[in-house]
Amino acid sequence: MATSDFVLGGVAAMGAGIVTNPVEVVKTRMQLQGELAARGSHAQPYKNVLQAFVTVAKNDGILGLQKGLAPALCFQFIINSIRLSTYTQAVDKGWVHNKKGEISFARGMFWGALGGVVGSYCASPFFLIKTQLQAQAAKQIAVGYQHPHTSMSDAIRQIYRKSGFLGLWRGSMASVSRATVASSVQIATFGKAKCLLKDNGLVTQPTCLSFFSGLAAGSFVSVAVTPFDVITTRLYNQGVDSQGRGLYYNGCLDCVTKILRSEGIYGLFKGFWPIYLRSAPYSTLVLLFFDELIALRESYAPHK
């Protein structure tokens, strides 16, 4: 079943990604807003989540809320097909259970993190392109560095021409760190929440169980991942010089230092609310879709 788990994990994530991509666009814009500027000293075209949605739709058109969708779906398919199939195999093999047969939160975090690390590194070029396309905006509401890409394929060509093949993996370590935290917390919380809700008789209907477990996972993820997400967005969106070096940051540590120095701790939590509004429904949908697809597959599987 490993191959089908791989495919179903990716398909589930793509379904969730289509629904939540507009929030991702808003989140990216809010994280780039006021980059390396003191709080209150810069223009603020995006004041809150709702106003940001209206602003993007008004200036970039309603389709502007789905910018970067193609690379976003490629990213979601790759990372989630790897991490969800990895976790599912670990559960089937009993690698996440303790001696009592219960799902271990720590072991769940390990297998969730492992899948997230591998998946995020493989999918890093698409996260890079997604971020740069989502940052593109009409001049009056533009924030952050504006890349001249016209499409995903054009972005690949331009990045390759300027920085070579490895340029597509620029900033990948930030993405790996982000995915390690997000995946480990999401997967472990989902599995543990499922056990607690089911074992205590609070929720027993399979679809509802997946929904509430996913909601709990998304809530924890949004708190844990925000600083890592800000760093990843900044590193991926910055421009590069003729030698392929970042114009603003030399790496993760330099990025954190400069944000703290110029924007304060608040800078590391920019875009928290859109991250929450995306993470909770995203985690709920992707894990719900995955469980439902697994159940659908099992219903058609030949019985022994």
Side-chain angles (χ1 to χ4, degrees):
M1 295 295 183
T3 301
S4 61
D5 284 348
F6 184 91
V7 175
L8 293 180
V11 172
M14 291 175 73
I18 292 173
V19 177
T20 59
N21 192 62
V23 186
E24 185 78 7
V25 171
V26 168
K27 182 268 298 181
T28 298
R29 303 281 182 88
M30 294 183 77
Q31 288 179 335
L32 293 171
Q33 182 171 254
E35 186 169 13
L36 298 183
R39 191 175 182 181
S41 67
H42 56 83
Q44 194 173 4
Y46 309 104
K47 296 176 175 58
N48 56 60
V49 178
L50 181 59
Q51 182 268 346
F53 270 100
V54 175
T55 298
V56 173
K58 181 179 178 181
N59 291 274
D60 293 335
I62 193 69
L63 292 180
L65 289 167
Q66 285 290 12
K67 283 195 172 184
L69 181 61
L73 294 183
C74 291
F75 172 77
Q76 293 298 343
F77 182 87
I78 295 171
I79 185 174
N80 286 288
S81 60
I82 292 174
R83 74 188 187 92
L84 290 177
S85 60
T86 297
Y87 181 74
T88 301
Q89 288 301 302
V91 171
D92 291 344
K93 299 292 185 182
W95 296 336
V96 299
H97 296 82
N98 57 28
K99 294 179 179 179
K100 297 180 180 179
E102 301 170 336
I103 289 181
S104 165
F105 186 80
R107 293 183 183 183
M109 286 190 74
F110 170 78
W111 287 105
L114 180 63
V117 166
V118 176
S120 64
Y121 187 77
C122 293
S124 185
F126 295 106
F127 197 108
L128 173 71
I129 295 167
K130 172 192 76 72
T131 301
Q132 294 180 3
L133 289 176
Q134 289 176 339
Q136 289 180 341
K139 186 176 181 181
Q140 58 269 31
I141 60 168
V143 292
Y145 190 89
Q146 297 291 293
H147 294 269
H149 313 316
T150 58
S151 65
M152 181 173 75
S153 58
D154 179 61
I156 293 174
R157 284 194 298 269
Q158 289 200 41
I159 294 171
Y160 177 77
R161 188 182 303 123
K162 188 170 186 177
S163 305
F165 183 72
L166 292 180
L168 291 166
W169 268 266
R170 179 170 60 84
S172 59
M173 289 303 101
S175 180
V176 167
S177 299
R178 170 189 173 279
T180 300
V181 174
S183 187
S184 61
V185 173
Q186 183 191 57
I187 293 293
T189 304
F190 180 73
K192 194 66 177 179
K194 244 181 144 178
C195 284
L196 289 174
L197 291 172
K198 187 177 181 179
D199 293 347
N200 289 286
L202 298 174
V203 182
T204 55
Q205 202 279 331
T207 300
C208 290
L209 184 62
S210 295
F211 177 83
F212 286 110
S213 300
L215 187 61
S219 299
F220 278 94
V221 166
S222 61
V223 175
V225 82
T226 299
F228 297 93
D229 200 82
V230 171
I231 294 166
T232 302
T233 297
R234 296 286 182 89
L235 288 175
Y236 274 172
N237 191 66
Q238 70 173 336
V240 295
D241 60 21
S242 58
Q243 280 76 46
R245 296 173 300 194
L247 297 179
Y248 304 144
Y249 316 105
N250 296 324
C252 294
L253 183 59
D254 184 55
C255 183
V256 172
T257 302
K258 287 180 176 176
I259 289 175
L260 289 174
R261 187 184 302 139
S262 57
E263 303 171 57
I265 191 69
Y266 165 80
L268 288 174
F269 285 88
K270 280 186 175 179
F272 170 79
W273 286 113
I275 286 177
Y276 178 79
L277 292 175
R278 175 199 175 276
S279 295
Y282 174 82
S283 293
T284 303
L285 289 171
V286 71
L287 296 169
L288 173 61
F289 290 164
F290 185 57
D291 271 3
E292 292 298 303
L293 288 169
I294 291 292
L296 183 63
R297 180 193 67 190
E298 295 301 322
S299 68
Y300 284 97
H303 298 287
K304 297 181 179 180

